[in-house]
Amino acid sequence: MPPAPAPKPGRTDPAIIRNFCIIAHIDHGKSTLADQMLRLTGVVDARAARAQYLDRMDIERERGITIKSQAVRMPWTVPDGNEEGAEPGTYVLNMIDTPGHVDFTYEVSRSLEACEAAVLLVDAAQGIEAQTLANLYLAMGADLHIIPVLNKIDLPSANVEKYAAELAGLVGCDVSDVLLTSAKTGVGVETLLNEIVKQTPPPVGDASKPARALIFDSVYDTYRGVVTYVRVVDGSLSHRDRIKMMSTGAVHEMLEVGVISPEPVKSGEIGVGEVGYLITGVKDVRQSRVGDTVTSQHHGATEALGGYKHPNPMVYAGLYPIDGDDYPVLRDALEKLQLNDAALTFEPETSGALGFGFRVGFLGLLHMEITRDRLERESNLDLISTAPNVVYEVVMEDGKHIEVTNPSEYPDGGKIAEVREPVVRATILSPSDYIGTIMELCQTKRGTLQGMDYLSEDRVEMRYVLPMGEIVFDFFDQLKSRTKGYASLDYERTGEQAADLVKVDILLQGEPVDAFSAIIHKDAAYAYGVMMAGKLKDLIPRQQFEVPIQAAIGARVIARENIRAIRKDVLAKCYGGDITRKRKLLEKQKEGKKRMKMVGRVEVPQEAFVAALSTSGPAGDKPKK
């Protein structure tokens, strides 16, 4: 079928617009399906086509994951007499490709608000995963029409009947309503496009009202400043209009407005139901916040579109350059990265052990890993990151509240009334064979079981409330290893709880090394102290004097290891004679060691920091590299 001619940019009749997004788990074929749609609708010709066309970053392409939402406008002509019964004619499809990872749930929720339907894409060999289920509930909460699709039906391991029944049970439709596709071979994609036209309701809005548009993403362009992606709900936005951001009150002039197909195409204006981009020449992404409402400066809307909230970091870690001279380079790299990522926060901090660096706030562990990867790759830096930790609230007996994002901020003096830690509601999907081992893991991580449902006879959904501090370390790795890789995890923050937490310091020769300090539950403090002392004993080279490594809570030492001194054999020249000669030489050596210990300092090599701080626990569902 020849591709339909692209509609001319300009205001489009809402009746022929269909806005939809694709929600899927990592590695379930979302980007491949998007590639097929771009090819079938003719917006990308065969010469320009490449795999994962909408994934623009190298990291996205290497890992096979989507990090940034992408929007694309596609023309699609429904032929006469099609099997699906869709009205023939040329339609405008606006597809928003969303990230599949739990760290980017807020971006996904804003993308869902910009659509009328969601294509729920599930791998026919793996079935639905926890994070897809979470995004499905988000889509249902946003009152979107769900189109269930089973992908990868060409795989030898595909179990179409079983997973189609599971999908139908979740969405509440007949098994026959579940569409079958293979994004790789192109089977069923034309049918899916016709079904999207048929099932997706056209956008509803009032063209005569003041302009209101939802920002669902923004990116930084080196030459043009911030490019803001919007979905128009009411009214229209025209070239050279003066617009106002309703959460910040900032006013800008629109230098350019247009649609993405899949490269930017200028137009005079965009109207009700259309998805497009705005360029105002602003250089700060934080002025175009995801979820904010854009309106006209004069005679603008008074009521913003709901659902906006400022993304708050959930995990903090210190980032330090291995070479101290790279500190200014790291600062510039973080500022540049923040232009593209409004959720990233950082502030300078100094560590006695690691020198100058930054305390950086992330949405989650995958966000942290990708940020560090991009900093190292794009700015050619070698970085050490401290162990990730969450935000604690310490309440003192005098009623004072202290927010702790770094163990060094934990109050030493004064009486502590209670320490509050963030908790998350976790959803774990797993084959039912592993229920016992998952329960055991969650209990060791101080989890509370909230409920359990069987999705089918051999797949179970378990809901737990867990402290977030336990999840960010190695929970995900342990979950995967205990379930042979079959379990999947999704979590969302639900609030705070009081907990029996203590700060464990690691002392070298009685001096605390701030980089190794950690805030840990009292029951796990001894194990952490023994583990770190043992690790450092192997990593720190022997000195001319004995070095004690101690783990302490306040003034109480809970674990200790000694690094033995390098001893010169002072008795080598004593070939006989009285014992007092030997004792005299040993006493002299002992005095020298004592003097050396008083003035000597233990230098911890960088390799020891890297090895001791390297945690094996990046959480979140992602494929192995």
Side-chain angles (χ1 to χ4, degrees):
M1 186 179 70
K8 280 187 178 176
R11 203 188 293 191
T12 308
D13 180 8
I16 64 163
I17 296 175
R18 300 290 184 270
N19 296 324
F20 71 98
C21 61
I22 306 175
I23 51 177
H25 190 69
I26 287 168
D27 210 27
H28 278 212
K30 177 160 40 86
S31 297
T32 313
L33 179 65
D35 291 345
Q36 281 290 359
M37 288 180 170
L38 294 176
R39 189 181 64 78
L40 278 173
T41 54
V43 293
V44 176
D45 62 23
R47 286 179 308 164
R50 57 173 188 178
Q52 289 172 259
Y53 189 89
L54 294 178
D55 290 342
R56 303 293 167 94
M57 279 189 262
D58 291 342
I59 296 173
E60 288 182 312
R61 302 174 67 74
E62 280 171 24
R63 292 180 177 229
I65 62 177
T66 302
I67 297 165
K68 287 290 280 182
S69 297
Q70 297 288 348
V72 62
R73 177 188 177 112
M74 305 177 291
W76 179 246
T77 301
V78 176
D80 291 323
N82 64 85
E83 293 174 14
E84 294 75 35
E87 285 287 323
T90 300
Y91 293 85
V92 173
L93 306 183
N94 286 314
M95 178 186 69
I96 299 175
D97 182 17
T98 58
H101 194 272
V102 59
D103 284 5
F104 309 111
T105 301
Y106 177 62
E107 283 186 33
V108 174
S109 74
R110 296 303 89 208
S111 299
L112 293 174
E113 290 289 340
C115 302
E116 276 75 41
V119 173
L120 177 65
L121 193 70
V122 173
D123 188 331
Q126 295 181 53
I128 198 155
E129 306 266 13
Q131 289 168 12
T132 320
L133 196 64
N135 287 344
L136 170 63
Y137 292 152
L138 276 178
M140 286 175 162
D143 207 18
L144 266 60
H145 178 76
I146 310 293
I147 304 171
V149 179
L150 215 52
N151 191 26
K152 303 192 184 183
I153 57 169
D154 57 313
L155 288 180
S157 56
N159 192 338
V160 175
E161 291 81 11
K162 177 186 170 186
Y163 292 126
E166 190 177 291
L167 254 182
L170 271 172
V171 177
C173 64
D174 290 333
V175 175
S176 57
D177 293 336
V178 177
L179 303 175
L180 306 179
T181 64
S182 166
K184 191 175 180 182
T185 60
V187 173
V189 181
E190 282 191 34
T191 306
L192 172 59
L193 285 166
N194 289 338
E195 283 290 351
I196 287 168
V197 168
K198 180 186 167 189
Q199 295 187 32
T200 306
V204 178
D206 190 338
S208 61
K209 280 188 175 178
R212 283 199 306 172
L214 173 78
I215 298 177
F216 63 86
D217 199 10
S218 58
V219 294
Y220 181 75
D221 183 287
T222 314
Y223 303 105
R224 314 171 85 188
V226 177
V227 180
T228 305
Y229 296 125
V230 295
R231 146 75 197 269
V232 181
V233 177
D234 292 323
S236 64
L237 294 170
S238 308
H239 178 57
R240 291 292 176 190
D241 271 359
R242 289 191 70 77
I243 56 166
K244 180 174 146 189
M245 308 293 179
M246 291 189 78
S247 78
T248 59
V251 174
H252 311 289
E253 184 181 358
M254 272 197 296
L255 305 179
E256 190 179 313
V257 60
V259 297
I260 303 116
S261 184
E263 302 305 323
V265 179
K266 270 190 199 181
S267 70
E269 63 175 345
I270 50 176
V272 171
E274 288 194 85
V275 173
Y277 70 91
L278 315 172
I279 294 174
T280 58
V282 173
K283 299 290 185 189
D284 185 358
V285 170
R286 283 165 295 186
Q287 292 196 23
S288 290
R289 292 172 172 170
V290 173
D292 199 357
T293 305
V294 177
T295 188
S296 307
Q297 181 191 2
H298 303 294
H299 312 295
T302 52
E303 195 177 331
L305 299 162
Y308 170 74
K309 61 177 199 277
H310 192 61
N312 288 322
M314 292 174 76
V315 175
Y316 285 83
L319 283 182
Y320 295 86
I322 286 179
D323 182 355
D325 294 342
D326 285 339
Y327 176 76
V329 182
L330 175 59
R331 184 183 57 228
D332 293 345
L334 278 166
E335 284 173 355
K336 187 176 161 192
L337 200 58
Q338 198 178 39
L339 290 171
N340 263 329
D341 189 350
L344 191 71
T345 62
F346 64 92
E347 57 183 34
E349 79 169 358
T350 313
S351 159
L354 298 171
F356 293 103
F358 292 92
R359 192 89 193 147
V360 189
F362 307 95
L363 294 172
L365 282 202
L366 182 77
H367 189 210
M368 170 180 160
E369 203 180 323
I370 283 163
T371 302
R372 183 179 165 183
D373 208 341
R374 286 184 69 185
L375 288 168
E376 290 187 335
R377 185 178 303 198
E378 293 169 15
S379 302
N380 200 20
L381 290 163
D382 286 322
L383 301 173
I384 300 175
S385 65
T386 61
N389 64 279
V390 297
V391 185
Y392 298 100
E393 187 181 18
V394 180
V395 183
M396 309 301 285
E397 282 192 351
D398 60 5
K400 190 176 166 192
H401 289 245
I402 300 170
E403 193 178 80
V404 176
T405 59
N406 186 350
S408 63
E409 296 168 358
Y410 196 85
D412 292 326
K415 294 278 181 79
I416 294 171
E418 68 172 9
V419 183
R420 302 187 65 77
E421 63 177 350
V423 291
V424 296
R425 187 187 293 119
T427 305
I428 300 166
L429 256 66
S430 164
S432 49
D433 303 354
Y434 303 110
I435 290 175
T437 186
I438 291 171
M439 282 184 158
E440 184 194 347
L441 171 65
C442 290
Q443 278 167 357
T444 59
K445 298 290 185 185
R446 301 188 283 129
T448 313
L449 182 65
Q450 298 293 298
M452 191 162 72
D453 291 317
Y454 280 83
L455 300 178
S456 60
E457 57 221 36
D458 59 349
R459 272 166 72 77
V460 68
E461 175 194 344
M462 302 168 77
R463 294 180 299 282
Y464 269 91
V465 169
L466 286 152
M468 190 165 178
E470 299 284 356
I471 279 189
V472 300
F473 204 61
D474 62 350
F475 181 83
F476 181 71
D477 280 10
Q478 286 196 40
L479 179 69
K480 282 289 186 190
S481 61
R482 285 172 182 236
T483 59
K484 299 181 183 169
Y486 284 114
S488 62
L489 168 74
D490 177 78
Y491 58 86
E492 60 171 341
R493 185 166 171 177
T494 58
E496 292 182 329
Q497 69 178 16
D500 199 357
L501 300 170
V502 291
K503 178 188 173 190
V504 179
D505 285 314
I506 303 296
L507 313 175
L508 284 180
Q509 258 193 300
E511 291 292 319
V513 183
D514 56 356
F516 297 134
S517 298
I519 298 169
I520 289 183
H521 193 264
K522 206 172 183 178
D523 297 345
Y526 174 70
Y528 175 80
V530 170
M531 181 268 291
M532 282 303 285
K535 228 177 187 185
L536 290 173
K537 184 187 176 186
D538 298 334
L539 293 168
I540 295 174
R542 288 169 68 186
Q543 311 287 322
Q544 292 282 348
F545 48 91
E546 186 179 61
V547 178
I549 302 169
Q550 296 166 305
I553 299 172
R556 184 165 62 91
V557 174
I558 55 171
R560 175 176 173 137
E561 293 280 358
N562 283 347
I563 301 174
R564 290 177 55 211
I566 302 171
R567 295 179 72 96
K568 180 182 172 187
D569 189 359
V570 291
L571 304 181
K573 58 188 176 184
C574 291
Y575 47 85
D578 192 16
I579 186 69
T580 53
R581 287 183 61 205
K582 293 182 180 179
R583 197 169 285 149
K584 189 178 172 184
L585 288 167
L586 287 169
E587 287 295 330
K588 195 175 176 185
Q589 185 188 37
K590 195 174 172 184
E591 284 297 318
K593 296 276 181 200
K594 196 182 277 184
R595 261 200 320 275
M596 201 183 290
K597 190 170 183 177
M598 286 165 68
V599 296
R601 286 191 71 237
V602 182
E603 290 295 333
V604 184
Q606 294 286 15
E607 303 79 60
F609 277 114
V610 175
L613 293 173
S614 63
T615 57
S616 57
D621 285 359
K622 63 180 195 296
K624 297 236 182 311
K625 286 194 269 187

